[in-house]
Each structure stands twice: as structure tokens, then as C-alpha cells.
Amino acid sequence: MLKDCKDAVLRTVRQEDRTLLETFYRDLSEDQRWYMEHDFLNPEVMDRWFRKVGREELTSVIALCDQRIAGHAILNVAEFGSTRHVGRFRIIVHPDFRKQRLGTWILLDLIQLAVDMELEILRTDVVVGIENTAIDAVAGFDFFKYAVIENYVKDPDGNFHDLAVMIKRLHKNWSDF
């Protein structure tokens, strides 16, 4: 239940969601997309990405509200190697659904999913000064700034921004304490 009393359903992405997902990203302005890792407006990127959906290393969750995608989250896990215990995620909420707790619900879902996958660490990379709301939101769930890489991200105008690496250590089970 969102703040405006609308219901949103969280579920994993299915192959038939491609058109909805394309519409979701097309609705976002360049200012809301430039710092993302994937260009979901590029059909080749979308093809590669959908080939990975549902495989163990990539989990994708959407929030549906009134037959449209209100939010999208991606949880990546290394297929092999020394970071197999770490999940990296990104959450984007459509501007029409921001400040309604949707991002919070998606984050809670991802944390539970990561616990179920027996991950030990959750990580998200956020642009300081651009995604301060996201920094504050994940900090409320015991994520902390593990590192800040100065002047690492370059915006479309050529300006550099710091990148904050936020992590949360996970425990095998949730509890009240």
C-alpha cells in the first residue's frame, strides 16, 4: 500500500514485461538515466539483459500499479569468484510514484531476497549530490558509506561527481533484535 492508498504489486520480471519496462525507461528524463549502469533505451542492451533475467546471477523486480511499472530493481550477483557473496543492486522509482514509500518496499523485498540467497553483503553505488535521497534512504536500513570515490562519475555536461559505495552486512535470519 502506497501513501496515496494505491496498491502496488512487487514481483519478478517476466519476458512479457519487456514493453512495459521499455515504456518505464522511456518515461524517465535524461537527468534521471545518465548515471545508470545500463541504457535500457538501447534495444541491444535490452536483448542482452532479458537473456539474463531469471538466471541465478540476475534478479529483477518490478512494482506494478494500475497496469504500469512504478518501480524497477536489479540485483546482480557474480557468477563466479571472490565476490559471489555480494549482491549489487539498483532501484529506480518512476517520478509519479516517488515519496510514496515504494522505494522502501522494494528495498525491503531486495534485502529479504538477498538473505534468502544467502548473500553476506548488499552493495549499491550512488552519485553524491545527485542521489542524496537514495543515500539517506539506504542509510535508514543500516547501509553505510564504505567508500567515496572522488570525481569518479561524469555527467552529460562533463562535470565530475563523487561516487559513494554503500554496503549492508546481512545476517542469516531477520529478527526483532
Side-chain angles (χ1 to χ4, degrees):
M1 180 76 71
L2 304 179
K3 277 185 177 181
D4 67 359
C5 296
K6 286 185 179 181
D7 287 332
V9 175
L10 298 178
R11 68 165 172 77
T12 56
V13 170
R14 301 174 189 148
Q15 292 295 325
E16 60 267 20
D17 295 326
R18 181 173 175 148
T19 302
L20 285 174
L21 206 55
E22 288 170 342
T23 300
F24 173 79
Y25 282 101
R26 210 175 15 257
D27 284 351
L28 300 177
S29 70
E30 175 65 24
D31 287 346
Q32 298 163 336
R33 287 192 329 268
W34 68 263
Y35 49 84
M36 296 177 154
E37 189 172 336
H38 302 286
D39 177 8
F40 286 109
L41 296 182
N42 181 332
E44 292 174 10
V45 170
M46 194 68 98
D47 289 344
R48 277 194 316 271
W49 191 80
F50 263 93
R51 281 194 295 273
K52 293 180 182 180
V53 167
R55 291 177 36 197
E56 189 174 319
E57 71 274 5
L58 177 70
T59 302
S60 184
V61 174
I62 55 173
L64 290 169
C65 186
D66 296 330
Q67 303 301 316
R68 63 189 269 222
I69 295 178
H72 181 219
I74 300 168
L75 176 62
N76 285 304
V77 178
E79 293 180 56
F80 174 80
S82 61
T83 60
R84 182 84 177 102
H85 65 291
V86 178
R88 292 184 65 187
F89 74 92
R90 164 70 65 184
I91 298 171
I92 183 93
V93 175
H94 192 283
D96 293 347
F97 294 91
R98 292 184 184 157
K99 298 184 181 185
Q100 295 185 45
R101 291 193 196 108
L102 181 59
T104 299
W105 289 115
I106 294 171
L107 180 56
L108 283 168
D109 196 56
L110 286 183
I111 291 170
Q112 184 60 57
L113 183 61
V115 169
D116 293 346
M117 294 170 71
E118 299 182 2
L119 296 177
E120 297 174 26
I121 297 172
L122 265 181
R123 169 185 169 175
T124 189
D125 298 348
V126 288
V127 181
V128 177
I130 304 293
E131 297 181 286
N132 289 345
T133 303
I135 292 170
D136 293 342
V138 297
F141 287 90
D142 296 329
F143 283 78
F144 62 94
K145 282 185 187 172
Y146 184 75
V148 175
I149 307 169
E150 294 181 4
N151 297 317
Y152 186 76
V153 179
K154 187 164 61 168
D155 68 26
D157 296 327
N159 301 308
F160 285 92
H161 302 271
D162 297 347
L163 183 74
V165 177
M166 306 285 293
I167 68 166
K168 175 181 179 63
R169 299 201 185 278
L170 301 173
H171 306 283
K172 293 197 186 263
N173 295 307
W174 286 79
S175 71
D176 291 335
F177 303 98

